[in-house]
Amino acid sequence: MRNTLLSIALFGAMSLSAQQKSTISIYPDKANQTINKEVYGQFAEHLGTCIYGGLWVGEKSSIPNTNGYRNDVVKALKDLKVPVLRWPGGCFADEYHWRDGIGPKENRPRMVNNNWGGTVEDNSFGTHEFLNLCELLGCEPYISGNVGSGTVEELAKWVEYMTAEQGSPMAKLRKENGREKPWKVKFLGVGNESWGCGGSMRPEYYSDLYRRYSTYCRNFDGNKLYKIASGASDYDYDWTETLMKNIGQRMDGVSLHYYTVLGWDGSKGSATKFTDEDYYWTIGKCLEIEPVIKKHIAIMDKYDPKKQVDLLVDEWGTWWDTEPGTNPGHLYQQNTLRDAFVASLSLDVFHKYTDRIKMANIAQVANVLQSMILTKDDKMVLTPTYYVFKMYNVHQDATYLPIEIACDKKVVRGERIVPMISSTASKDKNGLVHISISNVSLNESEDIQINLGGLKANKVKGEILTSKNISDYNDFDKKDVVTPKSFNGAKIVKGNLNVSLPAKSIVTLTLE
Ligand code: AHR
């Protein structure tokens, strides 16, 4: 890997030429893994305006809706090809009692959302509303069960209510509430952040609770549950070790949460006002997910060399200060081109470990943290992160093509090494090869030579996401500041692909 003297210069002291040269080598002969579409998963929590106002406005709203779901948002999410949606939290899940969210809406009890701003929750969006939304979107539901404050019986009965066909009291109750056929529910989380908001447990104790709760979550009438243990936060390798030792293959997957924040101390910083150095530092923090994942995987490999237990990064993304003037408990933040890079670089990493990482859920789908979508009354904005997910959805369920990248790097604040190029490639079921490339550099365009490793290509087309400033974003009165455009900077020359990539840009190429 090229690593010039310049690359070890401190940020700010660098003087690079206007045009950099990098190479990407693709190894199709080493391809043997599929990129699970579930790494493009989303997360919807009862938090701020994610559900209420974001996805759901209710049947009586003047905002155009179908059975209470916003038409604009549903269309945008269908275009995105959302494979899986996690609900009802997050921290909210461990205080959620599902029976409060079924039956006639006027009879549903209210509760205080203690985790998120003390907002009063009226439970008008419950199990039926969520599972019907998944059917509308054509995605798998991922139910996050209450272990922190709920009982084993409560979780067992929820599974029965959702998935039992007939002859059971819970199936009867579901039918009385208007749903004859059970839903298919594959993904079941047994608690969330059980080391923190999900019960402040120690890993040994949680392991036993997992074993107990999961025992009573049954497979009814052909529905096969895929059970997910509440996993570690970031660098907590002991949590993963203890779960692998004590739960092992009783779980189908174990989760990992990793957020990209600005400061070492967990401080966050503004979503839209940041320096160039802050930007590179953020990219460094985002990329640190790779060594973190590698360490968790190494522990998993020790206990599970055949890779029967999956790693699910079921919360990830940027976490900035909330927008001024909004409820600090609602985690509403803007989303700039910087967020788009965190999305593309993270997805590149998830693809690389696709033999172990089978799902990832960005936090969250609307109006919370690194959202796909922002809404205000009847207005909707698609964020730069949304566009990355859209440009990247060609990689869903495609064969991962291993790659190597040689490029310049920056060392930021003497600590974090940030490569200027990130990339991923795949071949889909129709034989089309897609290559996504991010040029992280704020100032330098890149001439990239791509060695296709024998892949045949006659034509190349592409889409590019970039903008004048890295802090640019889409807002309700300026919706199209950062949107994908057609890209003409790629050419096939004697079997090789040459790409000229502007500074701070993300492209996806299609080879035909
Ligand atoms: O996504 C916001 C919160 O972050 C989730 O509720 C929780 O699981 C995590 O701490």
Side-chain angles (χ1 to χ4, degrees), residues 43 45 47 86 89-93 115-116 192-193 195 197 257 259 315 319 331 363-364 368-369:
F43 172 31
E45 179 164 12
L47 195 180
R86 179 172 182 250
C91 295
F92 180 80
N115 285 289
W116 305 120
N192 167 74
E193 296 195 350
W195 37 263
C197 64
H257 290 180
Y259 283 99
E315 285 187 32
W319 193 321
L331 310 187
Q364 299 191 5
V368 171
L369 299 177

